[in-house]
Amino acid sequence: MADPAREPEPEPEPEERLPFPWDPVPLAGERLARMAGAFPDYREEGLAGFGPSGYVAMPDSKPFFEEYYNTPVHPGDIWVVTLPKCGTTWTQELVWLLQNDCDFEGAKSMLMPDRYHFLEITGVTARSVREKIRDGEDPLSRRIFFDPIESRPRPWFVKTHLPLHMCPPKLLDTAKVVYIVRNPKDVCISYYHHLHLYNEAAADLTLETFVDLFIDGLVTQLPFFPHVLEAWRQRHHPNMLFLFFEDLKKDLRGNIARVAEFLGKTPTDEQLDKLAEHLHFSNLKNNPWVNWEWIAKSAWSTGDPNKKFMRKGKTGDWKNHFTPEMDRKMTGWMERELEGTGLSFVLDIPEEQQ
Ligand code: A3P
């Protein structure tokens, strides 16, 4: 019972709200026309670049970004920060299981969006879709879009595709961040399929056009290299673990052990074996708690249930899609962007090793 003689604990001072430092710079002219042609949802709303990298979103997204910038961060929270299609979902499952001491039953009782707060989903979704969800009857989509992070039990698991400079400024000094990247050629192919899967791309958007948009950063949540290189520069921060998709492909068990060490966990050999089995593509793609199948039944998606979010899970699939000209453009872009950074990518792994 509380001791009436004792003074009650003072409430912590509310932290000062930080202004989000960047205003939208509307996309105009040819850049807007190219993007609006490819992504019909944004035709009416327009598009804008935010911040030093020109992160592409809707012009009215600033209040949302300010909210995300002020997200409370506590020691013990874990953020999975990635660009789309780099292995986000794979990493989320890996991190969640390790942090929850290999609670495989728990992982099969909650969908991924109930285990992780998807930080910016509301602010980067076209207004028309957002309003449909707000006014609709689908509780899962409403939960994902509108439940505040504060309604979740701590510690918080957060997923975000925002670049680090748009995350709360004290993130890295407070919580743990797991960042995963994948070679941009495979990301480009995977993203192209993803945007068609959820009808975000115009049906007639060709891969040829998409490659140019991808390189020029004219796809929502891009540009690619500023996002990756900002995280790469932080790779030695004690709270940052920088992973490569291709390393997980080549040595999943070894990389699970790396993540465990980073999280301060000591799984047994048997648990490591079980994790590697559980996280293998052949199993994860059929795991309904992780594989995004639920979205086909949600108000969020107009996705085709016959197309799969967990598509191929390969390294080097780009070779099945790129023409020599597309490959030339991609290679030249990568060389220019990577020069002097110390970062390089594995572009292919022999079939028998993946
Ligand atoms: P593909 O479209 O190339 O198949 P994200 O979660 O960041 O959106 O990334 C999705 C990509 O990661 C998809 O790539 C998906 O198949 C792949 N992926 C997910 N789980 C995987 C696993 N266990 N092994 C290999 N690839 C996986």
Side-chain angles (χ1 to χ4, degrees), residues 166-329:
M166 288 173 67
C167 293
K170 66 176 195 178
L171 173 62
L172 254 185
D173 290 331
T174 311
K176 285 196 156 67
V177 173
V178 180
Y179 188 96
I180 185 163
V181 70
R182 182 183 192 184
N183 82 72
K185 294 186 180 182
D186 280 326
V187 175
C188 180
I189 297 298
S190 183
Y191 208 2
Y192 178 72
H193 284 284
H194 176 100
L195 293 167
H196 278 298
L197 166 60
Y198 296 119
N199 291 333
E200 289 175 56
D204 61 357
L205 175 67
T206 62
L207 181 60
E208 191 183 11
T209 303
F210 185 74
V211 167
D212 291 337
L213 292 166
F214 189 89
I215 289 174
D216 293 342
L218 293 176
V219 181
T220 48
Q221 312 191 22
L222 294 185
F224 185 89
F225 277 111
H227 197 293
V228 175
L229 290 171
E230 183 182 12
W232 176 245
R233 287 192 291 273
Q234 295 286 357
R235 67 193 179 282
H236 301 305
H237 191 292
N239 280 344
M240 161 70 92
L241 182 66
F242 191 99
L243 299 171
F244 289 92
F245 181 101
E246 294 77 15
D247 285 347
L248 266 70
K249 284 292 305 177
K250 281 193 284 193
D251 177 14
L252 183 53
R253 196 180 188 280
N255 277 278
I256 296 170
R258 261 186 84 200
V259 181
E261 196 186 337
F262 173 70
L263 297 176
K265 295 288 177 179
T266 48
T268 62
D269 279 352
E270 196 187 328
Q271 285 174 322
L272 280 175
D273 288 341
K274 212 171 158 196
L275 280 164
E277 180 68 15
H278 177 90
L279 291 161
H280 192 273
F281 184 70
S282 54
N283 292 322
L284 220 56
K285 77 171 183 201
N286 294 319
N287 180 340
W289 303 97
V290 182
N291 68 8
W292 286 75
E293 251 171 44
W294 54 269
I295 198 180
K297 295 182 214 107
S298 78
W300 180 4
S301 168
T302 49
D304 177 348
N306 298 315
K307 292 190 198 155
K308 302 282 180 217
F309 177 94
M310 296 285 183
R311 202 180 51 93
K312 286 194 184 169
K314 296 268 181 202
T315 293
D317 184 43
W318 59 271
K319 289 185 297 176
N320 299 317
H321 299 270
F322 282 170
T323 61
E325 176 60 7
M326 293 177 204
D327 189 36
R328 189 191 61 73
K329 282 185 186 167

Side-chain angles (χ1 to χ4, degrees), residues 128-139:
S128 52
V129 180
R130 208 191 298 152
E131 285 172 0
K132 186 174 108 189
I133 290 170
R134 188 198 55 208
D135 301 337
E137 305 265 302
D138 171 15

Side-chain angles (χ1 to χ4, degrees), residues 26-76:
L27 243 61
E30 192 212 339
R31 286 165 69 79
L32 178 62
R34 284 172 67 198
M35 219 178 145
F39 307 107
D41 278 346
Y42 303 108
R43 274 178 203 157
E44 278 174 27
E45 300 182 33
L47 283 154
F50 285 87
S53 66
Y55 177 92
V56 184
M58 282 97 62
D60 68 355
S61 298
K62 184 172 173 185
F64 290 98
F65 290 146
E66 186 153 303
E67 197 66 38
Y68 308 144
Y69 200 63
N70 282 281
T71 305
V73 185
H74 319 93

Side-chain angles (χ1 to χ4, degrees), residues 52-99:
S53 66
Y55 177 92
V56 184
M58 282 97 62
D60 68 355
S61 298
K62 184 172 173 185
F64 290 98
F65 290 146
E66 186 153 303
E67 197 66 38
Y68 308 144
Y69 200 63
N70 282 281
T71 305
V73 185
H74 319 93
D77 293 346
I78 302 182
W79 287 48
V80 171
V81 182
T82 65
L83 278 160
K85 311 324 289 175
C86 286
T88 319
T89 317
W90 197 8
T91 307
Q92 284 179 274
E93 181 74 345
L94 160 52
V95 164
W96 194 91
L97 277 166
L98 280 171
Q99 191 62 16

